[in-house]
């Protein structure tokens, strides 16, 4: 598993982790130490993040220095040494944590789709409800600056958080501004409070240490979120959603967002999720913006694309009383780093 992670997953993306993972795979002592963790917590993404967390916390200075210098050989030696000396600490971190992928640049996908949802309903204000929110960074979609490869710009050009996305195809991204956001609600089984130093450090630990640009952007996203922390609701979305809708003012359009969240649910739960949205729409219009793999989001057209085809469908659904209108408004790749807009937004 560790050799495959190094030679396949990390190769070409993180030379540092490629070297560390392969070194761990070649050390019988290291592998025995890893076996002290629960079986489902032995994956390289978890153990490497736990080691990184200890380095960021100042508890593994040699490993931190090797990471800072991007020295693969030194990092490999320090990682093995840290794992053997601090096995209990590494296992303790891994056992209580799960990998996080908050810093992904999903806002270039979400912003135009949310603005389009508001246009179709005629809403002057929206309340955002992010399901599977983790730290709720997506809830600041209107507070970041977004630049597309065709030079279109959305959001706040003065924001400390700037994101970019490459446009695929010849159709432009809608440039309509998102209306005022009057509520920001995150729903997650285990939400992350970015105002908690340990929680914020774990988000950083889940990034690969030889990618300083991603780390700098995550730091900026965390700082932005901390200036106005969203409301985070802990629990199963199917149970918590009614409470989330209640937190959105009556004169605002609730916009539920899911980004690569529903694939973790069985089909029955995805259909129940759709039913929850339909139930909320008996009192007012509700919109759902999704970025999910082909065929994952129920009721969203697949455009004839094959499942597991390497891209995702950007879906827009509007629930209004007994009416449900759904459309695939775009495709995206690499979690929003490439985007093809398909819908007619006139």
């Amino acid at each position: 598993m560790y050799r495959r992670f190094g030679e396949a997953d990390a190769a070409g993306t993180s030379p540092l982790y490629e070297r560390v993972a392969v070194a761990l795979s070649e050390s019988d002592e290291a592998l025995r130490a890893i076996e002290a963790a629960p079986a489902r917590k032995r994956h390289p993404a978890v153990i490497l993040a736990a080691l990184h967390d200890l380095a960021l916390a100042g508890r593994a200075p040699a490993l931190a220095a090797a990471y800072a210098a991007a020295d693969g050989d030194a990092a490999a030696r320090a990682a093995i040494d840290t794992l053997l000396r601090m096995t209990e600490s590494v296992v303790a971190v891994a056992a209580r944590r799960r990998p996080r992928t908050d810093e992904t640049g999903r806002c270039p996908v979400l912003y135009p789709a949310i603005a389009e949802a508001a246009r179709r309903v005629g809403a002057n204000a929206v309340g955002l409800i992010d399901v599977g929110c983790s730290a709720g960074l997506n809830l600041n979609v209107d507070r970041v600056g977004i630049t597309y490869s065709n030079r279109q710009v959305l959001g706040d050009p003065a924001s400390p958080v700037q994101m970019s996305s490459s446009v695929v195809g010849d159709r432009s991204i809608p440039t309509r501004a998102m209306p005022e956001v009057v509520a920001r609600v995150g729903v997650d089984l285990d939400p992350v409070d970015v105002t908690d130093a340990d929680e914020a450090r774990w988000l950083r630990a889940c990034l690969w240490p030889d990618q300083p640009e991603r780390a700098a952007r995550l730091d900026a996203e965390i700082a932005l979120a901390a200036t106005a922390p969203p409301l985070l609701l802990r629990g199963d979305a199917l149970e918590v959603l009614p409470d989330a809708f209640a937190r959105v003012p009556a004169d605002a359009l609730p916009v539920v967002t899911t980004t690569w969240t529903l694939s973790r649910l069985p089909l029955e739960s995805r259909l129940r999720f759709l039913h929850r949205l339909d139930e909320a729409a008996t009192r007012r219009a509700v919109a759902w913006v999704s970025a999910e793999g082909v065929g994952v989001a129920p009721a969203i057209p697949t455009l004839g694309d094959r499942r597991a085809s390497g891209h995702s469908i950007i879906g827009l659904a509007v629930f209004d009383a007994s009416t449900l209108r759904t459309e695939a408004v775009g495709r995206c790749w690499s979690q929003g780093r490439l985007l093809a807009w398909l819908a007619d937004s006139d």
Side-chain angles (χ1 to χ4, degrees):
M1 183 194 302
Y2 277 76
R3 177 173 292 280
R4 185 169 62 248
F5 180 87
E7 295 179 348
D9 296 350
T13 302
S14 174
L16 201 63
Y17 267 3
E18 178 182 5
R19 181 70 189 91
V20 171
V22 171
L24 290 173
S25 78
E26 295 172 344
S27 169
D28 291 340
E29 289 181 301
L31 294 177
R32 280 196 294 272
I34 291 169
E35 287 180 344
R40 60 189 179 86
K41 295 291 189 174
R42 298 172 188 169
H43 190 276
V46 182
I47 297 297
L48 290 173
L51 287 166
H52 195 192
D53 186 73
L54 294 175
L56 292 173
R59 299 175 62 190
L63 182 60
Y67 281 170
D71 185 332
D73 290 336
R77 292 191 298 270
I80 292 174
D81 179 66
T82 302
L83 181 58
L84 297 183
R85 286 189 304 103
M86 306 178 68
T87 301
E88 289 187 5
S89 297
V90 174
V91 169
V93 173
R96 74 174 189 272
R97 301 289 194 182
R98 63 183 178 91
R100 300 285 185 170
T101 55
D102 288 70
E103 183 277 326
T104 55
R106 301 175 186 189
C107 293
V109 169
L110 290 174
Y111 191 109
I114 294 170
E116 178 64 12
R119 182 193 73 85
R120 295 187 180 190
V121 176
N124 296 316
V126 296
L128 303 180
I129 301 172
D130 190 25
V131 174
C133 69
S134 188
L137 301 183
N138 289 339
L139 292 166
N140 286 311
V141 58
D142 59 315
R143 303 176 67 204
V144 308
I146 305 167
T147 303
Y148 297 93
S149 60
N150 61 1
R151 299 185 179 181
Q152 289 182 270
V153 176
L154 289 174
D156 180 3
S159 172
V161 178
Q162 295 294 319
M163 299 183 182
S164 61
S165 180
S166 296
V167 176
V168 178
D170 56 5
R171 189 180 288 261
S172 297
I173 307 298
T175 55
R176 185 173 294 99
M178 190 185 305
E180 180 185 6
V181 178
V182 296
R184 305 174 197 272
V185 184
V187 176
D188 198 283
L189 287 171
D190 184 24
V192 176
D193 178 3
V194 296
T195 65
D196 181 293
D198 289 344
E199 297 285 302
R201 187 181 66 244
W202 177 248
L203 292 184
R204 297 182 181 98
C206 290
L207 295 182
W208 296 358
D210 51 350
Q211 298 179 333
E213 290 183 1
R214 291 186 65 192
R217 188 172 74 182
L218 177 60
D219 284 343
E221 289 186 81
I222 290 173
L224 181 64
T227 62
L231 173 64
L232 301 179
L233 302 179
R234 182 184 300 272
D236 185 313
L238 298 176
E239 306 302 325
V240 175
L241 269 174
D243 185 18
F245 282 117
R247 308 300 181 107
V248 178
D251 57 350
L253 170 70
V255 181
V256 177
T257 59
T258 63
T259 53
W260 300 282
T261 299
L262 299 184
S263 60
R264 299 194 289 267
L265 302 178
L267 177 59
E268 179 184 357
S269 294
R270 283 180 263 155
L271 293 174
R272 288 179 61 203
F273 168 79
L274 196 69
H275 183 62
R276 279 281 187 261
L277 303 183
D278 190 46
E279 286 178 332
T282 59
R283 293 174 291 278
R284 57 175 166 177
V286 170
W288 169 36
V289 169
S290 60
E292 304 283 354
V294 177
V296 171
I300 299 298
T302 60
L303 305 172
D305 299 344
R306 293 183 178 181
R307 291 176 180 267
S309 56
H311 69 273
S312 299
I313 300 289
I314 306 167
L316 172 56
V318 175
F319 302 76
D320 193 356
S322 60
T323 303
L324 169 61
R325 291 167 287 161
T326 65
E327 185 177 354
V329 295
R331 296 184 177 96
C332 65
W333 296 257
S334 300
Q335 295 195 324
R337 293 180 178 88
L338 293 93
L339 167 63
W341 191 262
L342 304 176
D344 182 359
S345 58
D346 293 335

